[in-house]
Amino acid sequence: MHARLLLFFLPLAALLSGCGARDDGSIPIAIIDNADEPFARSGSGRAAAAWDDATDEGLVAFDAYGRVIPALADRWIVTDDGTSYIFRLRDGNWPDGTAIDAESARRALSDAIRRQRGSPLGADLGRISEVRAMAGRVLEVRLNQPVPDLLVTLARPELGLLHEGRGAGPMRGSIAGRTGTLSPLNPEARGLPAEIGWEARARDIELTAMSATEAVQAFADGEVRVVLGGTIADFLLTDRTGLSRGALRVDDVDGLFGLAFVHRGGFLASAENRAALAMAVDRQALMEPFGIGNWEARLGMLPREGPTGRLLPLAQWRDMSLVQRRSTASARVAQWRSAHGDIAPIRIALPSGPGGARLFESLARDFAAIGLQTERVGFGAPADLVLLDQVAPSSDVEWYLNRFRCGLARRICIEEVDGLLREARRENPRAARAVLIDEAAALVEAQQIFISFGQPVRWSLVGGGIDGFQTNALGVHPLMEIAMQPR
């Protein structure tokens, strides 16, 4: 629980209202997104992802708890060797009235996978070797290597299936500027059995893209009932009066939250000097101003265990106390300065907003403790370090390594790691492949290309009467789940 929740008071009106909807029955929701065209299909922001998730079903989807549930596929099996997922599609139609069959779904999924080429998600999908249409409504996804969390990946909004440019639900809607209105499709329209009382449970969603400041204010004023898409950049905006008790929800997610070295020259050219910066950071003090209870600091970028089941090697400095770490780091800075002269200020790219400012204050103090000056820059400006803040779908080491592939992140990659991952993709024996990934993980650790802080921060604001929202380990909050009242 967030430490400041004890300061929030629930107004009497909120206690009495309970329904969480407008007079017309719709639920007003704000999503934090500053893009000029937040709902553009080519967009990569939070609003576009939420809209696509609601209107473009994939083979599977997420429920309110982040669990995988049927979507266009009503059931599936996985072969014993884990290299084939066979889906049976539900009986239904695409928006133009044509039947959803294996061939049309194959084309749609292949197109969705193709659109992700050159992205980290595309790298995650790299173990898919073929998508095959089988008889009638049966579709097979073949893999060249097992992917235990394939269903979690297929449930992502980027892998929603389109037919003639449109998705099959579970909602339909229209967009006007920065606001979109979504209506749930009834079960019959989705090829599912009719449900008694379904219409009484379904509510429309009015989704508006706002800045974080606007969204929090709109929630405090009762203009919206839910705020989605919060990150560390805007978390401190929730520290205000007027927010109801229990409104703030923080997802217990995992992933990458820290600084990547995008420039590795001068003092930062050696792994031991890059490690000096990681050693200087007091992670608990860094996050203390945010007051997030149970937040977990992480000294390393990767999960502790590799695919072979062995513990991954750790840098020796991780066993030191903060005082010892800073003493060692200070000596490295002094030695380099004595041999090479002054060290330019370390340029750190952080998000705008109060969260970014507070992170910089702490980091500047930490780096000053070992003799380094700092400069804050915006995203896109020349930098030495840039904040990475991404939620992981699982503890798969390869997911973490894919974020540092050279074809995707040239400035922060390691060529040798790419080579090991390519070789692992070609290996058929699972044990041999696991050893190669372990080697790649050990190399990343040795090269110190990332300063890990700990868990990413994902937060929402939720008013009374919203039953379809649950915090979860993936930080996913499907609008269809929020729209439906419980039975």
Side-chain angles (χ1 to χ4, degrees):
M1 294 290 291
H2 187 278
R4 294 186 181 83
L5 290 183
L6 295 177
L7 302 178
F8 294 164
F9 297 93
L10 182 62
L12 181 60
L15 280 170
L16 298 176
S17 64
C19 71
R22 290 188 187 276
D23 292 340
D24 63 4
S26 66
I27 303 174
I29 296 177
I31 188 161
I32 298 172
D33 194 321
N34 294 319
D36 292 336
E37 297 183 33
F39 297 108
R41 184 168 289 283
S42 59
S44 58
R46 302 170 195 135
W51 187 271
D52 291 348
D53 182 62
T55 59
D56 307 339
E57 269 188 318
L59 294 175
V60 291
F62 293 120
D63 69 3
Y65 294 89
R67 298 173 300 201
V68 173
I69 58 174
L72 289 184
D74 56 17
R75 55 189 182 273
W76 54 86
I77 61 172
V78 185
T79 56
D80 290 342
D81 64 0
T83 61
S84 176
Y85 285 65
I86 300 173
F87 298 88
R88 182 170 180 82
L89 304 173
R90 72 173 188 236
D91 187 10
N93 296 323
W94 297 106
D96 65 357
T98 60
I100 296 173
D101 60 13
E103 179 54 33
S104 59
R106 183 200 66 78
R107 289 195 302 268
L109 180 56
S110 297
D111 288 344
I113 293 172
R114 194 175 301 113
R115 288 195 297 271
Q116 297 308 315
R117 286 178 181 170
S119 72
L121 177 55
D124 298 337
L125 297 167
R127 281 178 271 177
I128 295 178
S129 60
E130 185 181 8
V131 180
R132 295 179 63 240
M134 302 174 75
R137 290 183 285 118
V138 180
L139 182 75
E140 180 186 21
V141 177
R142 288 186 173 181
L143 309 171
N144 52 32
Q145 298 288 349
V147 184
D149 296 303
L150 179 67
L151 293 175
V152 174
T153 301
L154 292 178
R156 290 184 51 155
E158 297 94 329
L159 294 176
L161 304 190
L162 302 177
H163 179 77
E164 301 296 332
R166 298 177 65 192
M171 307 181 83
R172 296 272 172 83
S174 60
I175 298 169
R178 301 187 66 79
T179 297
T181 301
L182 289 158
S183 300
L185 292 171
N186 63 43
E188 301 96 309
R190 300 173 61 204
L192 300 172
E195 295 182 23
I196 297 175
W198 186 91
E199 289 78 7
R201 296 175 48 225
R203 297 171 293 183
D204 288 353
I205 297 286
E206 184 180 281
L207 184 67
T208 303
M210 300 181 180
S211 70
T213 301
E214 292 170 335
V216 173
Q217 186 63 54
F219 184 87
D221 293 343
E223 296 174 3
V224 300
R225 300 302 300 145
V226 179
V227 175
L228 301 174
T231 68
I232 192 68
D234 34 57
F235 185 83
L236 291 173
L237 294 172
T238 66
D239 184 16
R240 53 164 296 160
T241 58
L243 297 181
S244 58
R245 182 188 301 274
L248 179 63
R249 312 287 182 88
V250 180
D251 293 299
D252 186 18
V253 298
D254 207 344
L256 289 170
F257 175 46
L259 299 172
F261 287 89
V262 292
H263 174 252
R264 300 203 291 265
F267 175 74
L268 303 179
S270 72
E272 68 172 13
N273 288 346
R274 293 194 293 273
L277 273 67
M279 295 161 70
V281 177
D282 183 343
R283 288 153 180 82
Q284 294 297 343
L286 179 77
M287 294 300 292
E288 190 206 359
F290 298 90
I292 304 173
N294 299 324
W295 180 83
E296 184 177 345
R298 305 281 170 80
L299 295 181
M301 168 185 128
L302 301 170
R304 186 67 182 90
E305 186 177 290
T308 61
R310 296 195 303 265
L311 294 180
L312 297 175
L314 300 177
Q316 291 182 349
W317 62 263
R318 294 210 214 169
D319 294 326
M320 300 178 182
S321 68
L322 179 62
V323 171
Q324 292 172 322
R325 297 202 313 256
R326 285 184 171 175
S327 175
T328 301
S330 296
R332 293 180 186 178
V333 171
Q335 182 180 10
W336 198 94
R337 187 173 279 130
S338 175
H340 302 281
D342 288 342
I343 301 172
I346 305 298
R347 301 163 298 177
I348 308 174
L350 296 166
S352 59
R358 194 64 60 89
L359 286 176
F360 180 74
E361 290 174 8
S362 296
L363 291 168
R365 185 169 56 250
D366 290 341
F367 292 157
I370 63 170
L372 295 174
Q373 300 303 307
T374 51
E375 176 186 351
R376 183 183 176 186
V377 300
F379 288 129
D384 300 300
L385 294 165
V386 63
L387 184 74
L388 291 188
D389 183 6
Q390 301 178 18
V391 174
S394 70
S395 60
D396 183 2
V397 171
E398 196 166 352
W399 181 91
Y400 290 82
L401 296 176
N402 281 340
R403 271 67 211 155
F404 295 83
R405 298 291 295 269
C406 288
L408 312 173
R410 172 62 57 182
R411 293 187 299 169
I412 58 177
C413 75
I414 301 173
E415 293 283 357
E416 295 90 335
V417 170
D418 266 27
L420 288 168
L421 292 177
R422 285 194 298 269
E423 188 177 351
R425 290 279 171 91
R426 293 192 294 265
E427 282 288 348
N428 285 324
R430 187 178 302 187
R433 176 181 169 277
V435 168
L436 289 167
I437 293 176
D438 271 11
E439 289 180 16
L443 183 56
V444 164
E445 174 74 18
Q447 288 297 310
Q448 297 287 292
I449 60 174
F450 184 74
I451 302 174
S452 177
F453 298 156
Q455 291 178 278
V457 175
R458 294 293 182 270
W459 62 269
S460 306
L461 297 174
V462 183
I466 305 297
D467 299 297
F469 180 100
Q470 299 291 334
T471 57
N472 58 73
L474 296 179
V476 295
H477 305 292
L479 297 177
M480 182 64 171
E481 297 283 323
I482 296 174
M484 298 302 297
Q485 291 180 316
R487 290 182 176 85

